[in-house]
Amino acid sequence: MKTMRTFSDLVDRIPSPNREFQTATAVIKIRSSQTADLLNMAHIAILGLGNWGTAVARMWLLEGHKVKGWTIEQEVYESVVMDGINKKYLPNHSVEGLEATMRLDEALDGVEIVVLAIPSSVILDVVDEVIPHLRPGHVLIDLAKGLAPGKRLISQAIHEKLDAAQMTNPLAVVTGPTIAPEAAGGVITTALVASEDESVAKRLAETLTTQTFILHAASDPVGAELWGAFKNVIALTCGLVDGLKKVGTLGGDNLKAAIFMAGFKEGCLLLPQLGAKAEVAFGPAGLGDLYVTATSPYGRNRSMGEKLGTGLSLDEALGEMTMVAEGVRAARMFITRADDEGIKVPFTKAINTLLDGEITAEECCRRIVGLN
């Protein structure tokens, strides 16, 4: 953790003139490094205190940043304020020091970085509420990933809303293999921070990287966001295998590997046609994020697929989920976009046919295995 010192503390440690010049120079160099650390401390507002929003809040608090958190959920607000913990979404990790609020104006007051940790289904509505409170100095980070209505990415839709309000605030996208409970617990975690202005991405990576949360700067937010969304579709489908394993003998690692491979192949073919750079597939936002989301027991989309694999209907499975499984919405959005572009996506079509209740989990997996 970076050591916080006041400017006067640093000045008091300047050696007196009668000391040797070499010693004074060495101490000044140390002090300059400490001052740089102090200046790197950021004031951050995290809008949305689900499991990932809470996890990044914890990591940045431990690093010494000043962090506010906004939520619309009364139980989350009370839990953070009264107990210093988010009992609903991340119950085993303290967020002592997090300044929680249910008012957007309070959350954005006095901060430099605004993190949108909002589900993709509602993030654009929240952005509409945020814009009247934005200042020119605010830098936005989008943690939601996926397609928005009108053949746009969510980040592109946010840019359009900013443009309409005659605002030029920088926007970056963060995505990667980030399982929230592990990151909050201190597991070394990497992610990509991507912006059209790479200097913004580099500055954010420098400021927000911690001892255990390592951010890499990139200049392809389109590719990062497309893979960040499509990996949820693959993870959802891989989860079917875990469900089949619970109720019979069909599910297992062999089958999951085949599903994983088919989904990754379709992503490599589809996403470049939608604007992603091909190399993104092999980085943290692509294969890295896909692997952990499709295999981790903490993965929300894998867990959702597991419920479907046991035979539950979509409505029944959704009813058992506490957190949002973005893969369902992403599957719908990608099939619509592919149809509009005239692109064949048999993997995505198979999981959508299951979501529509037209085939079983076993039949869905058999169709996908047949693609290989």
Side-chain angles (χ1 to χ4, degrees):
M1 178 176 171
K2 293 173 180 141
T3 302
M4 295 291 290
R5 293 182 174 88
T6 65
F7 184 73
S8 59
D9 287 336
L10 300 177
V11 172
D12 288 342
R13 297 181 64 184
I14 297 176
S16 60
N18 61 349
R19 297 194 181 176
E20 295 182 4
F21 177 77
Q22 185 177 8
T23 303
T25 302
V27 173
I28 290 170
K29 285 181 178 179
I30 293 172
R31 189 179 319 106
S32 296
S33 175
Q34 292 167 342
T35 303
D37 279 351
L38 184 62
L39 293 175
N40 274 337
M41 294 301 103
H43 293 75
I44 306 165
I46 298 175
L47 308 186
L49 293 177
N51 66 340
W52 184 226
T54 306
V56 292
R58 172 177 164 80
M59 290 187 287
W60 290 332
L61 284 166
L62 291 175
E63 194 70 7
H65 296 296
K66 300 294 185 182
V67 186
K68 297 181 180 183
W70 173 81
T71 178
I72 62 170
E73 297 181 83
Q74 185 72 32
E75 62 179 307
V76 171
Y77 170 75
E78 292 178 356
S79 176
V80 172
V81 170
M82 298 176 65
D83 303 312
I85 199 166
N86 187 338
K87 293 179 181 178
K88 181 175 182 180
Y89 293 112
L90 205 67
N92 298 319
H93 302 284
S94 170
V95 285
E96 195 70 38
L98 177 62
E99 185 180 336
T101 180
M102 297 183 72
R103 291 180 51 180
L104 277 174
D105 59 336
E106 288 183 354
L108 272 63
D109 183 43
V111 304
E112 302 105 21
I113 300 172
V114 180
V115 180
L116 303 169
I118 308 290
S120 60
S121 58
V122 296
I123 186 171
L124 296 181
D125 294 330
V126 174
V127 169
D128 286 334
E129 298 180 37
V130 167
I131 283 176
H133 304 290
L134 284 181
R135 299 193 318 271
H138 282 139
V139 178
L140 304 180
I141 297 179
D142 171 23
L143 302 188
K145 299 167 285 285
L147 301 174
K151 298 183 179 181
R152 304 168 297 169
L153 295 171
I154 289 173
S155 61
Q156 291 169 335
I158 294 173
H159 269 303
E160 290 178 7
K161 288 180 177 292
L162 292 172
D163 290 343
Q166 297 184 328
M167 292 182 169
T168 58
N169 298 74
L171 174 66
V173 174
V174 170
T175 185
T178 51
I179 295 296
E182 289 194 355
V187 173
I188 293 176
T189 301
T190 64
L192 205 66
V193 54
S195 175
E196 293 175 355
D197 184 343
E198 193 169 6
S199 66
V200 171
K202 288 180 178 179
R203 182 57 179 161
L204 287 172
E206 176 187 344
T207 301
L208 299 179
T209 287
T210 75
Q211 290 296 309
T212 61
F213 185 40
I214 301 165
L215 291 168
H216 301 283
S219 59
D220 182 19
V222 172
E225 189 169 357
L226 283 170
W227 270 107
F230 193 72
K231 68 93 177 28
N232 290 330
V233 180
I234 303 172
L236 176 71
T237 313
C238 285
L240 299 178
V241 180
D242 297 320
L244 289 172
K245 187 175 182 179
K246 277 188 170 183
V247 297
T249 61
L250 294 175
D253 291 341
N254 293 345
L255 177 57
K256 183 176 285 189
I259 300 293
F260 186 99
M261 178 179 67
F264 182 64
K265 177 182 178 181
E266 184 158 294
C268 289
L269 295 172
L270 169 65
L271 302 188
Q273 296 185 69
L274 301 182
K277 294 179 181 177
E279 60 266 26
V280 177
F282 305 101
L287 196 54
D289 199 1
L290 170 57
Y291 171 79
V292 75
T293 306
T295 60
S296 172
Y298 295 113
R300 292 172 288 173
N301 293 284
R302 188 213 58 79
S303 297
M304 178 67 183
E306 181 177 331
K307 295 178 185 298
L308 294 170
T310 63
L312 295 183
S313 68
L314 177 59
D315 287 341
E316 290 169 339
L318 288 171
E320 293 188 2
M321 294 292 292
T322 300
M323 294 174 288
V324 177
E326 301 278 9
V328 175
R329 180 177 181 274
R332 303 297 199 194
M333 299 292 281
F334 275 110
I335 194 69
T336 300
R337 182 68 180 274
D339 287 345
D340 289 344
E341 301 292 335
I343 304 170
K344 293 184 178 180
V345 284
F347 180 96
T348 306
K349 182 176 181 180
I351 187 61
N352 272 281
T353 305
L354 169 71
L355 295 175
D356 291 336
E358 297 178 13
I359 57 174
T360 64
E362 177 183 343
E363 176 60 22
C364 180
C365 289
R366 289 189 180 279
R367 290 188 182 186
I368 291 171
V369 169
L371 300 175
N372 294 328

